[in-house]
Amino acid sequence: MICGLSTTSLLLRKTSIRRICTAMIRFNSSKGGDSNTSLVTDKAWSQEWKEVGLGPSLPSPGSCMTNILFVQTGFGVDQHGDRERDGATKAAVRAVRNAIEFNSIPGMIEAVPGGRKNMLIQVKLGVPSKEEDDGGVEPLHVDLSHVAKVFPYGKLLPIKIVLGGLSFPTGRIVRELGDQNDTAICVAASVAIGYDNGERSDSFKHATYDTADGF
């Protein structure tokens, strides 16, 4: 479960499931693992959205996605340019766009208490390591401000980055595009949307429905 943060919180805490609603805002994090959650600031993330009165916002402190309504997945690839510097960022943006761009969610207005402005967005990115072939343990750097700009509305929960995706050879180097090698970067993304019903317990986690229970 990934939870919302206060804009004044500056400390990342490893938490147990019983204290899962405490975290921090860390800008442009690239480390992986369950303890790594990151979120951009509450500044305007996209001038395009700002000009038309749209754009995501930060959730209220302590917010958690208790009810998942829709999960979308996608992937993105970057093949050219300085991929060590911004390849994972470009691939991550493409992955998130791929996850959401073929969907329409008009039912959120009725399904989410308070409508789209209270819709929570939970993003998880699988990013390849810096040195995948050498057993690298840290994902490539991702500028999360660019990922956040993709969303036109909703409340964006901490973006989670874990080791995943892959890098692979393309057999093609285009020097004119800034290529130094033929390595491409692929990022996988899951984007869940839902809301917080306000209920909490010691064993708190999002609602799950099992066919064994008749659902």
Side-chain angles (χ1 to χ4, degrees):
M1 179 61 58
I2 300 178
C3 307
L5 334 169
S6 164
T7 56
T8 59
S9 175
L10 296 176
L11 178 64
L12 177 66
R13 303 175 185 176
K14 286 188 176 180
T15 61
S16 67
I17 193 67
R18 297 182 181 181
R19 301 182 62 193
I20 198 68
C21 291
T22 57
M24 67 162 279
I25 291 177
R26 188 167 67 186
F27 192 50
N28 295 347
S29 169
S30 64
K31 292 183 179 295
D34 288 342
S35 65
N36 179 55
T37 54
S38 308
L39 189 68
V40 295
T41 67
D42 58 355
K43 297 179 181 178
W45 291 323
S46 169
Q47 188 62 30
E48 176 187 4
W49 294 134
K50 183 179 179 181
E51 288 175 353
V52 295
L54 293 175
S57 61
L58 292 172
S60 301
S63 294
C64 295
M65 189 179 292
T66 59
N67 295 71
I68 299 175
L69 299 178
F70 193 45
V71 180
Q72 308 149 100
T73 59
F75 73 92
V77 177
D78 183 54
Q79 299 187 59
H80 300 293
D82 188 348
R83 293 182 292 283
E84 188 168 321
R85 178 173 61 89
D86 60 9
T89 296
K90 290 190 288 185
V93 168
R94 291 166 183 166
V96 171
R97 285 190 179 277
N98 180 244
I100 70 173
E101 65 185 352
F102 300 109
N103 300 297
S104 178
I105 50 174
M108 291 303 104
I109 296 175
E110 297 179 355
V112 175
R116 73 178 190 186
K117 67 180 180 180
N118 288 331
M119 182 184 78
L120 296 179
I121 306 168
Q122 189 177 77
V123 179
K124 185 174 183 178
L125 302 172
V127 180
S129 67
K130 298 177 181 179
E131 299 177 352
E132 189 175 70
D133 293 337
D134 297 326
V137 295
E138 287 194 3
L140 289 163
H141 172 74
V142 175
D143 186 336
L144 296 178
S145 67
H146 290 286
V147 177
K149 289 177 183 179
V150 173
F151 299 98
Y153 54 80
K155 295 182 182 295
L156 186 60
L157 290 167
I159 298 173
K160 187 174 185 180
I161 299 176
V162 298
L163 280 173
L166 76 156
S167 58
F168 58 93
T170 66
R172 180 64 168 158
I173 298 174
V174 183
R175 298 291 179 183
E176 293 83 353
L177 295 178
D179 295 358
Q180 298 299 313
N181 54 50
D182 72 333
T183 301
I185 297 169
C186 177
V187 171
S190 70
V191 180
I193 56 177
Y195 63 94
D196 185 350
N197 64 18
E199 297 179 3
R200 300 289 187 271
S201 66
D202 287 344
S203 59
F204 171 72
K205 65 177 183 178
H206 60 259
T208 302
Y209 304 96
D210 192 328
T211 56
D213 298 324
F215 293 109

